[in-house]
Amino acid sequence: MFIRCNLKKKYHNDIELHISCFRLGDHRSLETVPLTVMHIIFLRRHNLIVKKLENETSWSPEVLYQEAKRIVIAELQHVTYNEFLPRVLGPWITFTFGLRPAFLYRESYSPFVDPRTTSGFSVAAYRFGHSLVRNIHDQIGPNGSPNDNLLLKDHFDKLETHLKDFTGGNTEGFARWMKSDHKSRSDGTFVDGLQNNLFRCEDEPNCPMGAGVTKAFDLAALNIQRGRDHGLPSYTQWRYWCTGRRAFIFTPNYFGLSDHTYFEANILRNTYRHVDDIDLFTGGLTETRLPGALLGPTFTCILALQFSNYKRGDRFFYERPDPIMAFTPGTLNWSFTT
């Protein structure tokens, strides 16, 4: 479960220190404690299912692993489409795109649907979640009382500080806080820990960026530059593709940025020379939210289409009634109620 690694080389009295890391498929899951806690939660869920299947079957360890993995994937899909997307996209868009799960089975698979991830989704639209991040992380004890107020900038790559007991301890405290605390508002603003202090490193000679390089990053600027590196079309082109409405001027009227407030439109006017220069990430994130949703029409469109393609283009999606690979009603009922 653990490997010895160096996210950042750490030294004490000129002696190089090594810290333990989780063996995961993506090193970014170790960047902040909440990301790591989410992986721990699903790992424990997987092991819980393995124990239950082990008590009820005579399967080999490999079969137990694969079946538990399959169930965890189905649970993640169910949570995503049944709980997450309706809150992000709103109930009407979720219904219109057929994203809500059925009671048991629904055949939505089509071999003609391409489930690959689009650049507009991965590079810009789905990064709206960065605006939801809180600047303060906390732990909540078993009695419901907060234990810490930890700034986000002090969390990056510091698992050895905040998750002292990897088998328990602080993990539960952070999980309780994540469950009970409210997110930030989905808008065009980022907290200080992401905008001015992302991966801040005070020990300059040993910073991963190298000596003489900036000691911190700006995540909003990175997102904008990432879109330009990928050659994404401008916000107005994506808006026209999604809604059929063109924007010719910055003014928020029929001919302009009608999905923005006057305040947001003026900020964009003072930032860009022409309305067609607006980056997708900037323009989409500052749109006025749709009723019951967290996002405006352009980002909602991109997310809804992408998650629809994920579902309809996945031959192994958990809702399929395929006689060979379908879950039994008993498995679905147990998995989603325990």
Side-chain angles (χ1 to χ4, degrees):
M1 182 177 177
F2 298 104
I3 57 175
R4 199 172 78 163
C5 68
N6 284 314
L7 294 176
K8 295 177 182 177
K9 288 188 176 180
K10 298 179 181 293
Y11 294 86
H12 179 69
N13 295 332
D14 296 327
I15 299 176
E16 183 176 339
L17 303 179
H18 295 275
I19 62 174
S20 296
C21 296
F22 288 95
R23 188 188 300 273
L24 301 169
D26 190 331
H27 70 88
R28 292 175 298 179
S29 59
L30 305 172
E31 287 177 351
T32 66
V33 174
L35 287 175
T36 308
V37 169
M38 288 302 299
H39 281 78
I40 294 174
I41 290 173
F42 280 100
L43 174 65
R44 291 181 179 179
R45 178 62 177 171
H46 175 274
N47 291 343
L48 176 68
I49 295 172
V50 167
K51 290 181 180 179
K52 179 175 176 61
L53 295 176
E54 190 175 28
N55 293 332
E56 298 179 355
T57 68
S58 57
W59 291 341
S60 68
E62 178 64 20
V63 173
L64 288 171
Y65 169 80
Q66 295 295 345
E67 287 299 317
K69 174 184 175 182
R70 182 168 171 253
I71 292 174
V72 170
I73 291 173
E75 291 178 340
L76 179 58
Q77 289 175 335
H78 185 76
V79 170
T80 300
Y81 284 83
N82 190 56
E83 299 181 29
F84 175 70
L85 290 180
R87 287 164 174 77
V88 173
L89 305 178
W92 174 246
I93 296 296
T94 304
F95 171 79
T96 302
F97 280 81
L99 300 177
R100 274 281 195 181
F103 177 69
L104 279 178
Y105 302 110
R106 174 184 293 160
E107 181 58 276
S108 56
Y109 171 70
S110 170
F112 303 104
V113 173
D114 186 350
R116 290 179 297 179
T117 303
T118 64
S119 290
F121 173 87
S122 64
V123 175
Y126 203 46
R127 296 178 187 271
F128 82 92
H130 294 159
S131 71
L132 306 179
V133 176
R134 296 290 300 271
N135 204 40
I136 294 179
H137 290 171
D138 206 346
Q139 299 180 59
I140 296 180
N143 60 355
S145 60
N147 294 337
D148 295 294
N149 273 318
L150 304 172
L151 291 175
L152 175 62
K153 68 177 183 179
D154 298 326
H155 266 223
F156 298 118
D157 297 337
K158 294 184 179 179
L159 296 181
E160 77 283 4
T161 301
H162 303 306
L163 283 183
K164 301 180 182 67
D165 181 2
F166 288 99
T167 60
N170 296 7
T171 302
E172 282 75 14
F174 277 104
R176 294 187 195 99
W177 169 76
M178 292 165 64
K179 179 179 181 295
S180 60
D181 195 59
H182 295 289
K183 62 174 180 57
S184 294
R185 180 185 176 90
S186 176
D187 52 24
T189 61
F190 280 38
V191 296
D192 176 74
L194 295 181
Q195 187 169 8
N196 300 313
N197 291 286
L198 181 67
F199 306 136
R200 173 165 289 281
C201 179
E202 300 294 346
D203 187 16
E204 184 171 322
N206 300 312
C207 288
M209 294 82 80
V213 185
T214 178
K215 294 184 179 181
F217 291 108
D218 179 342
L219 185 55
L222 287 175
N223 288 343
I224 293 171
Q225 186 59 46
R226 185 183 289 110
R228 296 176 182 180
D229 288 345
H230 279 248
L232 289 183
S234 68
Y235 159 72
T236 54
Q237 291 177 278
W238 281 96
R239 178 178 181 262
Y240 176 70
W241 181 75
C242 277
T243 67
R245 292 180 284 112
R246 292 188 179 275
F248 301 97
I249 55 178
F250 285 100
T251 307
N253 58 22
Y254 180 81
F255 298 101
L257 301 178
S258 57
D259 296 315
H260 290 74
T261 65
Y262 278 94
F263 176 78
E264 301 289 358
N266 283 332
I267 292 178
L268 295 174
R269 186 201 309 273
N270 294 330
T271 304
Y272 295 93
R273 292 184 178 181
H274 192 276
V275 69
D276 288 335
D277 294 334
I278 300 175
D279 296 283
L280 173 59
F281 180 76
T282 307
L285 196 60
T286 53
E287 285 184 337
T288 301
R289 293 184 293 176
L290 294 175
L294 296 183
L295 303 171
T298 303
F299 271 10
T300 295
C301 159
I302 296 174
L303 263 66
L305 181 61
Q306 184 64 68
F307 278 101
S308 175
N309 289 345
Y310 282 153
K311 180 177 182 178
R312 296 189 297 125
D314 183 1
R315 188 164 62 91
F316 300 98
F317 197 78
Y318 82 96
E319 281 188 321
R320 291 201 64 205
D322 187 284
I324 297 178
M325 64 185 70
F327 289 101
T328 65
T331 300
L332 290 175
N333 181 66
W334 173 84
S335 181
F336 301 145
T337 57
T338 58

